[in-house]
Amino acid sequence: KMPPLSGIDIPVVSEVLREIIPDLPPPCKDRIRSITSPMVPVLEIDTSAPLWLSGFRRYANGMQKLDYARVKFSYGDVALPSGYKSEFVTLPSGETVRVIRNLPAEAGAANSLANYGFEAVPYFIGSSGGISNPPVYALDSVDSWTMFMQHTVPLMIKAGWKIDIPRDFHHNVLEAEAWEGEFEEEEDGWFSLNMGIVVNGQRLPLAPMLHELFKIDPRWLDTSQLEKMRDSEWIELLLPEGGRVRVTADRIKPLAKTLIELFDGKMSGEIRLSRYDLARIDTLAGMERWQFKGMEGVIKLAHKLKNTSGIKAVNPPEGFALQLRPYQIEGLSWLQYLREQELSGILADDMGLGKTAQALAHLLLEKHSGRMDKPSLVVLPTSLIFNWKREAERFTPQLKLLSLHGKARAEHFPAIREYDVILTTYPLLWRDEEALAEHEYHLLILDEAQTVKNVSSQAAQVVRKLIARHRLCLTGTPMENNLGELWAQFDFLLPGFLGGSKEFTKTWRTPIEKHGNKMRRDLLARRVKPFILRRRKEDVAKELPAKTLIVRTVELEGSQRDLYETVRAAMDEKV
């Protein structure tokens, strides 16, 4: 009298009838498949939506969320919830199987939950209520979960339990097993740094976690607050797929102070560092408890470049017709050091301390050494052409010097390679770009380099296109008005070292100039320090008397006043 059975139903009905009436022949040859895998207890942990709790120890009564656990018993790929009565299970594929259950082991696992601090929770949803089936278990208080996650979970795993914890479970606070970093040198003179932590045997990228931390906790962006932060303070990093990792503040502080501006934008798992980022590389190399791979070359480079106190003193070139002062010999040694390390820099001595003389001595040393197999190009304001020619004639007559100035300069373009030093001016750069770009240069020197602070100017664009082995800036005022002028010079010297203009403004100018961010200021100063040599008169020329400033007011009279007023009125009308 039963209705026809479907193909899926037949094995189940057949097996049941065979147990009730053993002599009944099976309706088909197919027998139900049995699962004989050993039982593994599984504890599933989660947090409920707000529900009504009634009288459960220190969990308050009323509507609230409940951190809870449920038990399942896993037999191979089949999981049975606690309280499941049958041994027949229909799989998601539609197949019905028979599980050979170990009921004593299931009962023992469920009873052992009390040993781990759990007890069954009767909870009520809304006003109707009802005891949960399968049973729900909870700890005696919210605070007990921290101890459970840190100490009890490892004990249960050791006892054979499988613990299933969602990554976003808010008590899921893990410990980092290892801190790892890997340097890889790229073709364009940069290093890629991939930093990560190992959690539960899995390596996770650290950069996105720090990016989120610095957004959430503003103390990391404030030097004064960062200094007050105790090294032993526990910090929680949010894992990408949920959960948290606890670390002490001293693990992150060096990274915050060294790499902070790299976390302004969206972060992937990789950080890029310029090979010239000596301060940063040296700090990273000295961090304890980190396991860095590929660090040998980075450390070697950092040690090689970081400390200018190790610069070897050089003697002035033979035939240099000026007695250099000690600080000028130090400046010459520094210029030679930059050339030796294939670096660029800014000689930023005060006006009057002889930057031109030091540069000429540097050029003459390069010629005597045989390294100047190509001409060197010096770009300067028109007003300094005469000064450079005069000092070159006096101090370095051995240098063959060509001044590309005046209407007849084009006549000398074909002979550029025959000279040691070529002088040209900023206003003429873009006009003579084609002729100058035909050659490669040993040295490219910008005198009064702040002149190219407007990177959109034609002169600034041309100097960036010229090819030279070494680049050098001379200026007594590396920064007159804002940090953008400093960026413009480094964009010429070491392209990309301080990022693009918009990136630099966001990362450095705005925080420093508008918000007075001391951490950013100090970090930027450390980054550019190896490439700037600046001496003041009062520091190096102590035998000179203090500068005396006398202000005298002179009123224009007669024809001078008439001429001034004529020009002023004409320009006022034109404007």
Side-chain angles (χ1 to χ4, degrees), residues 166-196:
R167 284 189 174 272
D168 58 353
F169 184 56
H170 64 113
H171 294 296
N172 190 12
V173 181
L174 307 172
E175 300 290 336
E177 300 161 18
W179 297 72
E180 298 177 348
E182 184 172 0
F183 279 94
E184 184 174 342
E185 190 166 4
E186 300 178 356
E187 294 180 357
D188 56 359
W190 289 70
F191 288 101
S192 63
L193 170 59
N194 192 311
M195 306 180 78

PDB file of all heavy atoms in Angstrom, residues 166-196:
ATOM      1  N   PRO A 166      35.323  30.827  13.916  1.00  0.00           N
ATOM      2  CA  PRO A 166      35.279  31.819  12.829  1.00  0.00           C
ATOM      3  C   PRO A 166      36.389  32.848  13.005  1.00  0.00           C
ATOM      4  O   PRO A 166      36.740  33.230  14.131  1.00  0.00           O
ATOM      5  CB  PRO A 166      33.897  32.472  12.992  1.00  0.00           C
ATOM      6  CG  PRO A 166      33.113  31.537  13.841  1.00  0.00           C
ATOM      7  CD  PRO A 166      34.096  30.838  14.720  1.00  0.00           C
ATOM      8  N   ARG A 167      36.955  33.305  11.884  1.00  0.00           N
ATOM      9  CA  ARG A 167      38.051  34.271  11.972  1.00  0.00           C
ATOM     10  C   ARG A 167      37.607  35.580  12.621  1.00  0.00           C
ATOM     11  O   ARG A 167      38.397  36.284  13.237  1.00  0.00           O
ATOM     12  CB  ARG A 167      38.622  34.546  10.577  1.00  0.00           C
ATOM     13  CG  ARG A 167      39.502  33.422  10.052  1.00  0.00           C
ATOM     14  CD  ARG A 167      40.205  33.850   8.782  1.00  0.00           C
ATOM     15  NE  ARG A 167      41.146  32.845   8.345  1.00  0.00           N
ATOM     16  CZ  ARG A 167      42.408  32.771   8.747  1.00  0.00           C
ATOM     17  NH1 ARG A 167      42.851  33.650   9.616  1.00  0.00           N
ATOM     18  NH2 ARG A 167      43.220  31.842   8.310  1.00  0.00           N
ATOM     19  N   ASP A 168      36.317  35.926  12.449  1.00  0.00           N
ATOM     20  CA  ASP A 168      35.854  37.189  13.008  1.00  0.00           C
ATOM     21  C   ASP A 168      35.302  37.040  14.427  1.00  0.00           C
ATOM     22  O   ASP A 168      34.692  37.979  14.952  1.00  0.00           O
ATOM     23  CB  ASP A 168      34.797  37.810  12.098  1.00  0.00           C
ATOM     24  CG  ASP A 168      33.597  36.891  11.883  1.00  0.00           C
ATOM     25  OD1 ASP A 168      33.652  35.731  12.337  1.00  0.00           O
ATOM     26  OD2 ASP A 168      32.628  37.330  11.243  1.00  0.00           O
ATOM     27  N   PHE A 169      35.488  35.888  15.049  1.00  0.00           N
ATOM     28  CA  PHE A 169      35.042  35.708  16.435  1.00  0.00           C
ATOM     29  C   PHE A 169      35.826  36.672  17.315  1.00  0.00           C
ATOM     30  O   PHE A 169      37.066  36.690  17.311  1.00  0.00           O
ATOM     31  CB  PHE A 169      35.285  34.269  16.879  1.00  0.00           C
ATOM     32  CG  PHE A 169      34.764  33.958  18.252  1.00  0.00           C
ATOM     33  CD1 PHE A 169      33.440  34.164  18.573  1.00  0.00           C
ATOM     34  CD2 PHE A 169      35.625  33.456  19.223  1.00  0.00           C
ATOM     35  CE1 PHE A 169      32.971  33.882  19.847  1.00  0.00           C
ATOM     36  CE2 PHE A 169      35.161  33.172  20.494  1.00  0.00           C
ATOM     37  CZ  PHE A 169      33.828  33.383  20.813  1.00  0.00           C
ATOM     38  N   HIS A 170      35.114  37.508  18.065  1.00  0.00           N
ATOM     39  CA  HIS A 170      35.780  38.641  18.721  1.00  0.00           C
ATOM     40  C   HIS A 170      36.681  38.222  19.880  1.00  0.00           C
ATOM     41  O   HIS A 170      37.441  39.051  20.386  1.00  0.00           O
ATOM     42  CB  HIS A 170      34.731  39.668  19.192  1.00  0.00           C
ATOM     43  CG  HIS A 170      33.789  39.164  20.230  1.00  0.00           C
ATOM     44  ND1 HIS A 170      33.763  39.637  21.506  1.00  0.00           N
ATOM     45  CD2 HIS A 170      32.815  38.204  20.169  1.00  0.00           C
ATOM     46  CE1 HIS A 170      32.814  39.015  22.194  1.00  0.00           C
ATOM     47  NE2 HIS A 170      32.231  38.146  21.404  1.00  0.00           N
ATOM     48  N   HIS A 171      36.618  36.978  20.330  1.00  0.00           N
ATOM     49  CA  HIS A 171      37.570  36.506  21.332  1.00  0.00           C
ATOM     50  C   HIS A 171      38.742  35.752  20.690  1.00  0.00           C
ATOM     51  O   HIS A 171      39.591  35.216  21.408  1.00  0.00           O
ATOM     52  CB  HIS A 171      36.879  35.568  22.330  1.00  0.00           C
ATOM     53  CG  HIS A 171      35.858  36.249  23.182  1.00  0.00           C
ATOM     54  ND1 HIS A 171      36.171  37.242  24.079  1.00  0.00           N
ATOM     55  CD2 HIS A 171      34.502  36.076  23.259  1.00  0.00           C
ATOM     56  CE1 HIS A 171      35.069  37.653  24.686  1.00  0.00           C
ATOM     57  NE2 HIS A 171      34.046  36.966  24.201  1.00  0.00           N
ATOM     58  N   ASN A 172      38.764  35.743  19.363  1.00  0.00           N
ATOM     59  CA  ASN A 172      39.785  34.971  18.666  1.00  0.00           C
ATOM     60  C   ASN A 172      41.095  35.763  18.624  1.00  0.00           C
ATOM     61  O   ASN A 172      41.491  36.298  17.597  1.00  0.00           O
ATOM     62  CB  ASN A 172      39.320  34.644  17.238  1.00  0.00           C
ATOM     63  CG  ASN A 172      40.221  33.644  16.560  1.00  0.00           C
ATOM     64  OD1 ASN A 172      41.058  33.024  17.195  1.00  0.00           O
ATOM     65  ND2 ASN A 172      40.052  33.498  15.257  1.00  0.00           N
ATOM     66  N   VAL A 173      41.767  35.868  19.758  1.00  0.00           N
ATOM     67  CA  VAL A 173      43.029  36.593  19.873  1.00  0.00           C
ATOM     68  C   VAL A 173      44.163  35.571  19.857  1.00  0.00           C
ATOM     69  O   VAL A 173      44.271  34.729  20.749  1.00  0.00           O
ATOM     70  CB  VAL A 173      43.083  37.426  21.169  1.00  0.00           C
ATOM     71  CG1 VAL A 173      44.395  38.187  21.250  1.00  0.00           C
ATOM     72  CG2 VAL A 173      41.900  38.383  21.218  1.00  0.00           C
ATOM     73  N   LEU A 174      45.007  35.669  18.827  1.00  0.00           N
ATOM     74  CA  LEU A 174      46.060  34.681  18.629  1.00  0.00           C
ATOM     75  C   LEU A 174      47.425  35.295  18.912  1.00  0.00           C
ATOM     76  O   LEU A 174      47.564  36.511  19.063  1.00  0.00           O
ATOM     77  CB  LEU A 174      46.010  34.153  17.185  1.00  0.00           C
ATOM     78  CG  LEU A 174      44.641  33.612  16.732  1.00  0.00           C
ATOM     79  CD1 LEU A 174      44.667  33.305  15.253  1.00  0.00           C
ATOM     80  CD2 LEU A 174      44.267  32.379  17.534  1.00  0.00           C
ATOM     81  N   GLU A 175      48.430  34.461  19.001  1.00  0.00           N
ATOM     82  CA  GLU A 175      49.800  34.912  19.208  1.00  0.00           C
ATOM     83  C   GLU A 175      50.591  34.689  17.925  1.00  0.00           C
ATOM     84  O   GLU A 175      50.415  33.687  17.224  1.00  0.00           O
ATOM     85  CB  GLU A 175      50.457  34.131  20.360  1.00  0.00           C
ATOM     86  CG  GLU A 175      49.743  34.291  21.701  1.00  0.00           C
ATOM     87  CD  GLU A 175      49.889  35.676  22.281  1.00  0.00           C
ATOM     88  OE1 GLU A 175      50.863  36.374  21.930  1.00  0.00           O
ATOM     89  OE2 GLU A 175      49.019  36.079  23.088  1.00  0.00           O
ATOM     90  N   ALA A 176      51.463  35.637  17.609  1.00  0.00           N
ATOM     91  CA  ALA A 176      52.331  35.486  16.439  1.00  0.00           C
ATOM     92  C   ALA A 176      53.466  34.521  16.782  1.00  0.00           C
ATOM     93  O   ALA A 176      54.169  34.708  17.774  1.00  0.00           O
ATOM     94  CB  ALA A 176      52.900  36.839  16.020  1.00  0.00           C
ATOM     95  N   GLU A 177      53.600  33.508  15.952  1.00  0.00           N
ATOM     96  CA  GLU A 177      54.642  32.503  16.202  1.00  0.00           C
ATOM     97  C   GLU A 177      56.000  32.942  15.689  1.00  0.00           C
ATOM     98  O   GLU A 177      57.041  32.510  16.198  1.00  0.00           O
ATOM     99  CB  GLU A 177      54.230  31.188  15.523  1.00  0.00           C
ATOM    100  CG  GLU A 177      52.906  30.635  16.041  1.00  0.00           C
ATOM    101  CD  GLU A 177      52.306  29.631  15.082  1.00  0.00           C
ATOM    102  OE1 GLU A 177      53.045  29.114  14.219  1.00  0.00           O
ATOM    103  OE2 GLU A 177      51.094  29.360  15.194  1.00  0.00           O
ATOM    104  N   ALA A 178      56.041  33.774  14.658  1.00  0.00           N
ATOM    105  CA  ALA A 178      57.314  34.239  14.088  1.00  0.00           C
ATOM    106  C   ALA A 178      57.068  35.530  13.328  1.00  0.00           C
ATOM    107  O   ALA A 178      55.957  35.810  12.878  1.00  0.00           O
ATOM    108  CB  ALA A 178      57.912  33.173  13.166  1.00  0.00           C
ATOM    109  N   TRP A 179      58.131  36.333  13.225  1.00  0.00           N
ATOM    110  CA  TRP A 179      58.111  37.588  12.469  1.00  0.00           C
ATOM    111  C   TRP A 179      59.128  37.449  11.348  1.00  0.00           C
ATOM    112  O   TRP A 179      60.313  37.243  11.599  1.00  0.00           O
ATOM    113  CB  TRP A 179      58.464  38.760  13.391  1.00  0.00           C
ATOM    114  CG  TRP A 179      57.470  38.952  14.502  1.00  0.00           C
ATOM    115  CD1 TRP A 179      57.300  38.168  15.597  1.00  0.00           C
ATOM    116  CD2 TRP A 179      56.507  40.005  14.603  1.00  0.00           C
ATOM    117  NE1 TRP A 179      56.276  38.655  16.381  1.00  0.00           N
ATOM    118  CE2 TRP A 179      55.782  39.790  15.801  1.00  0.00           C
ATOM    119  CE3 TRP A 179      56.191  41.103  13.825  1.00  0.00           C
ATOM    120  CZ2 TRP A 179      54.763  40.630  16.216  1.00  0.00           C
ATOM    121  CZ3 TRP A 179      55.181  41.950  14.232  1.00  0.00           C
ATOM    122  CH2 TRP A 179      54.469  41.706  15.424  1.00  0.00           C
ATOM    123  N   GLU A 180      58.668  37.577  10.128  1.00  0.00           N
ATOM    124  CA  GLU A 180      59.535  37.307   8.986  1.00  0.00           C
ATOM    125  C   GLU A 180      59.513  38.479   8.004  1.00  0.00           C
ATOM    126  O   GLU A 180      58.511  39.159   7.847  1.00  0.00           O
ATOM    127  CB  GLU A 180      59.098  36.041   8.249  1.00  0.00           C
ATOM    128  CG  GLU A 180      59.156  34.780   9.097  1.00  0.00           C
ATOM    129  CD  GLU A 180      58.655  33.560   8.351  1.00  0.00           C
ATOM    130  OE1 GLU A 180      58.055  33.722   7.259  1.00  0.00           O
ATOM    131  OE2 GLU A 180      58.854  32.444   8.858  1.00  0.00           O
ATOM    132  N   GLY A 181      60.645  38.691   7.357  1.00  0.00           N
ATOM    133  CA  GLY A 181      60.740  39.702   6.309  1.00  0.00           C
ATOM    134  C   GLY A 181      61.653  39.195   5.214  1.00  0.00           C
ATOM    135  O   GLY A 181      62.601  38.440   5.480  1.00  0.00           O
ATOM    136  N   GLU A 182      61.365  39.593   4.001  1.00  0.00           N
ATOM    137  CA  GLU A 182      62.179  39.136   2.874  1.00  0.00           C
ATOM    138  C   GLU A 182      62.476  40.313   1.951  1.00  0.00           C
ATOM    139  O   GLU A 182      61.570  40.981   1.461  1.00  0.00           O
ATOM    140  CB  GLU A 182      61.461  38.027   2.105  1.00  0.00           C
ATOM    141  CG  GLU A 182      62.298  37.450   0.975  1.00  0.00           C
ATOM    142  CD  GLU A 182      61.663  36.223   0.354  1.00  0.00           C
ATOM    143  OE1 GLU A 182      60.562  35.832   0.807  1.00  0.00           O
ATOM    144  OE2 GLU A 182      62.255  35.667  -0.571  1.00  0.00           O
ATOM    145  N   PHE A 183      63.771  40.594   1.766  1.00  0.00           N
ATOM    146  CA  PHE A 183      64.212  41.632   0.847  1.00  0.00           C
ATOM    147  C   PHE A 183      64.512  41.016  -0.512  1.00  0.00           C
ATOM    148  O   PHE A 183      65.091  39.936  -0.603  1.00  0.00           O
ATOM    149  CB  PHE A 183      65.489  42.307   1.365  1.00  0.00           C
ATOM    150  CG  PHE A 183      65.241  43.350   2.416  1.00  0.00           C
ATOM    151  CD1 PHE A 183      65.303  43.048   3.756  1.00  0.00           C
ATOM    152  CD2 PHE A 183      64.940  44.656   2.047  1.00  0.00           C
ATOM    153  CE1 PHE A 183      65.084  44.002   4.724  1.00  0.00           C
ATOM    154  CE2 PHE A 183      64.718  45.624   3.012  1.00  0.00           C
ATOM    155  CZ  PHE A 183      64.786  45.300   4.351  1.00  0.00           C
ATOM    156  N   GLU A 184      64.131  41.734  -1.546  1.00  0.00           N
ATOM    157  CA  GLU A 184      64.464  41.299  -2.897  1.00  0.00           C
ATOM    158  C   GLU A 184      64.839  42.530  -3.710  1.00  0.00           C
ATOM    159  O   GLU A 184      64.069  43.493  -3.790  1.00  0.00           O
ATOM    160  CB  GLU A 184      63.289  40.576  -3.546  1.00  0.00           C
ATOM    161  CG  GLU A 184      63.619  40.013  -4.925  1.00  0.00           C
ATOM    162  CD  GLU A 184      62.480  39.180  -5.491  1.00  0.00           C
ATOM    163  OE1 GLU A 184      61.600  38.767  -4.705  1.00  0.00           O
ATOM    164  OE2 GLU A 184      62.461  38.973  -6.714  1.00  0.00           O
ATOM    165  N   GLU A 185      66.037  42.512  -4.283  1.00  0.00           N
ATOM    166  CA  GLU A 185      66.511  43.663  -5.048  1.00  0.00           C
ATOM    167  C   GLU A 185      65.863  43.661  -6.423  1.00  0.00           C
ATOM    168  O   GLU A 185      65.815  42.641  -7.114  1.00  0.00           O
ATOM    169  CB  GLU A 185      68.029  43.628  -5.180  1.00  0.00           C
ATOM    170  CG  GLU A 185      68.609  44.913  -5.749  1.00  0.00           C
ATOM    171  CD  GLU A 185      70.111  45.020  -5.574  1.00  0.00           C
ATOM    172  OE1 GLU A 185      70.708  44.049  -5.067  1.00  0.00           O
ATOM    173  OE2 GLU A 185      70.671  46.064  -5.950  1.00  0.00           O
ATOM    174  N   GLU A 186      65.363  44.840  -6.818  1.00  0.00           N
ATOM    175  CA  GLU A 186      64.723  44.976  -8.116  1.00  0.00           C
ATOM    176  C   GLU A 186      65.673  45.644  -9.094  1.00  0.00           C
ATOM    177  O   GLU A 186      66.691  46.228  -8.700  1.00  0.00           O
ATOM    178  CB  GLU A 186      63.420  45.781  -7.981  1.00  0.00           C
ATOM    179  CG  GLU A 186      62.413  45.117  -7.036  1.00  0.00           C
ATOM    180  CD  GLU A 186      61.142  45.931  -6.873  1.00  0.00           C
ATOM    181  OE1 GLU A 186      61.086  47.047  -7.429  1.00  0.00           O
ATOM    182  OE2 GLU A 186      60.214  45.453  -6.203  1.00  0.00           O
ATOM    183  N   GLU A 187      65.332  45.593 -10.355  1.00  0.00           N
ATOM    184  CA  GLU A 187      66.234  46.077 -11.389  1.00  0.00           C
ATOM    185  C   GLU A 187      66.382  47.599 -11.376  1.00  0.00           C
ATOM    186  O   GLU A 187      67.400  48.122 -11.806  1.00  0.00           O
ATOM    187  CB  GLU A 187      65.730  45.631 -12.767  1.00  0.00           C
ATOM    188  CG  GLU A 187      65.775  44.116 -12.969  1.00  0.00           C
ATOM    189  CD  GLU A 187      65.278  43.719 -14.338  1.00  0.00           C
ATOM    190  OE1 GLU A 187      64.844  44.619 -15.095  1.00  0.00           O
ATOM    191  OE2 GLU A 187      65.336  42.510 -14.656  1.00  0.00           O
ATOM    192  N   ASP A 188      65.381  48.318 -10.893  1.00  0.00           N
ATOM    193  CA  ASP A 188      65.396  49.776 -10.984  1.00  0.00           C
ATOM    194  C   ASP A 188      66.029  50.447  -9.767  1.00  0.00           C
ATOM    195  O   ASP A 188      65.809  51.627  -9.505  1.00  0.00           O
ATOM    196  CB  ASP A 188      63.972  50.307 -11.176  1.00  0.00           C
ATOM    197  CG  ASP A 188      63.025  49.845 -10.070  1.00  0.00           C
ATOM    198  OD1 ASP A 188      63.476  49.107  -9.187  1.00  0.00           O
ATOM    199  OD2 ASP A 188      61.844  50.233 -10.096  1.00  0.00           O
ATOM    200  N   GLY A 189      66.828  49.701  -8.995  1.00  0.00           N
ATOM    201  CA  GLY A 189      67.507  50.302  -7.858  1.00  0.00           C
ATOM    202  C   GLY A 189      66.671  50.353  -6.598  1.00  0.00           C
ATOM    203  O   GLY A 189      67.008  51.071  -5.653  1.00  0.00           O
ATOM    204  N   TRP A 190      65.589  49.610  -6.544  1.00  0.00           N
ATOM    205  CA  TRP A 190      64.728  49.571  -5.368  1.00  0.00           C
ATOM    206  C   TRP A 190      64.763  48.178  -4.758  1.00  0.00           C
ATOM    207  O   TRP A 190      65.147  47.205  -5.403  1.00  0.00           O
ATOM    208  CB  TRP A 190      63.282  49.923  -5.741  1.00  0.00           C
ATOM    209  CG  TRP A 190      63.104  51.370  -6.088  1.00  0.00           C
ATOM    210  CD1 TRP A 190      63.563  52.012  -7.199  1.00  0.00           C
ATOM    211  CD2 TRP A 190      62.417  52.365  -5.309  1.00  0.00           C
ATOM    212  NE1 TRP A 190      63.217  53.332  -7.173  1.00  0.00           N
ATOM    213  CE2 TRP A 190      62.502  53.586  -6.029  1.00  0.00           C
ATOM    214  CE3 TRP A 190      61.750  52.343  -4.102  1.00  0.00           C
ATOM    215  CZ2 TRP A 190      61.946  54.760  -5.561  1.00  0.00           C
ATOM    216  CZ3 TRP A 190      61.182  53.521  -3.639  1.00  0.00           C
ATOM    217  CH2 TRP A 190      61.286  54.708  -4.349  1.00  0.00           C
ATOM    218  N   PHE A 191      64.365  48.115  -3.496  1.00  0.00           N
ATOM    219  CA  PHE A 191      64.193  46.846  -2.806  1.00  0.00           C
ATOM    220  C   PHE A 191      62.705  46.654  -2.532  1.00  0.00           C
ATOM    221  O   PHE A 191      62.010  47.597  -2.162  1.00  0.00           O
ATOM    222  CB  PHE A 191      64.943  46.813  -1.469  1.00  0.00           C
ATOM    223  CG  PHE A 191      66.432  46.726  -1.595  1.00  0.00           C
ATOM    224  CD1 PHE A 191      67.220  47.849  -1.435  1.00  0.00           C
ATOM    225  CD2 PHE A 191      67.040  45.513  -1.875  1.00  0.00           C
ATOM    226  CE1 PHE A 191      68.590  47.772  -1.548  1.00  0.00           C
ATOM    227  CE2 PHE A 191      68.414  45.427  -1.994  1.00  0.00           C
ATOM    228  CZ  PHE A 191      69.197  46.550  -1.833  1.00  0.00           C
ATOM    229  N   SER A 192      62.225  45.438  -2.721  1.00  0.00           N
ATOM    230  CA  SER A 192      60.877  45.108  -2.258  1.00  0.00           C
ATOM    231  C   SER A 192      61.025  44.387  -0.923  1.00  0.00           C
ATOM    232  O   SER A 192      61.870  43.510  -0.769  1.00  0.00           O
ATOM    233  CB  SER A 192      60.152  44.218  -3.271  1.00  0.00           C
ATOM    234  OG  SER A 192      60.809  42.977  -3.412  1.00  0.00           O
ATOM    235  N   LEU A 193      60.235  44.802   0.042  1.00  0.00           N
ATOM    236  CA  LEU A 193      60.280  44.224   1.382  1.00  0.00           C
ATOM    237  C   LEU A 193      58.910  43.635   1.684  1.00  0.00           C
ATOM    238  O   LEU A 193      57.904  44.356   1.713  1.00  0.00           O
ATOM    239  CB  LEU A 193      60.640  45.280   2.420  1.00  0.00           C
ATOM    240  CG  LEU A 193      60.505  44.871   3.894  1.00  0.00           C
ATOM    241  CD1 LEU A 193      61.388  43.671   4.201  1.00  0.00           C
ATOM    242  CD2 LEU A 193      60.844  46.035   4.811  1.00  0.00           C
ATOM    243  N   ASN A 194      58.881  42.337   1.874  1.00  0.00           N
ATOM    244  CA  ASN A 194      57.638  41.643   2.208  1.00  0.00           C
ATOM    245  C   ASN A 194      57.724  41.207   3.663  1.00  0.00           C
ATOM    246  O   ASN A 194      58.520  40.332   4.009  1.00  0.00           O
ATOM    247  CB  ASN A 194      57.443  40.433   1.285  1.00  0.00           C
ATOM    248  CG  ASN A 194      56.042  39.856   1.383  1.00  0.00           C
ATOM    249  OD1 ASN A 194      55.547  39.626   2.474  1.00  0.00           O
ATOM    250  ND2 ASN A 194      55.424  39.617   0.255  1.00  0.00           N
ATOM    251  N   MET A 195      56.921  41.838   4.513  1.00  0.00           N
ATOM    252  CA  MET A 195      56.946  41.555   5.941  1.00  0.00           C
ATOM    253  C   MET A 195      55.683  40.781   6.320  1.00  0.00           C
ATOM    254  O   MET A 195      54.587  41.072   5.825  1.00  0.00           O
ATOM    255  CB  MET A 195      57.032  42.849   6.750  1.00  0.00           C
ATOM    256  CG  MET A 195      58.185  43.742   6.339  1.00  0.00           C
ATOM    257  SD  MET A 195      58.281  45.259   7.311  1.00  0.00           S
ATOM    258  CE  MET A 195      59.018  44.632   8.805  1.00  0.00           C
ATOM    259  N   GLY A 196      55.845  39.789   7.178  1.00  0.00           N
ATOM    260  CA  GLY A 196      54.694  38.983   7.566  1.00  0.00           C
ATOM    261  C   GLY A 196      54.868  38.379   8.943  1.00  0.00           C
ATOM    262  O   GLY A 196      55.958  38.386   9.520  1.00  0.00           O
TER     263      GLY A 196
END
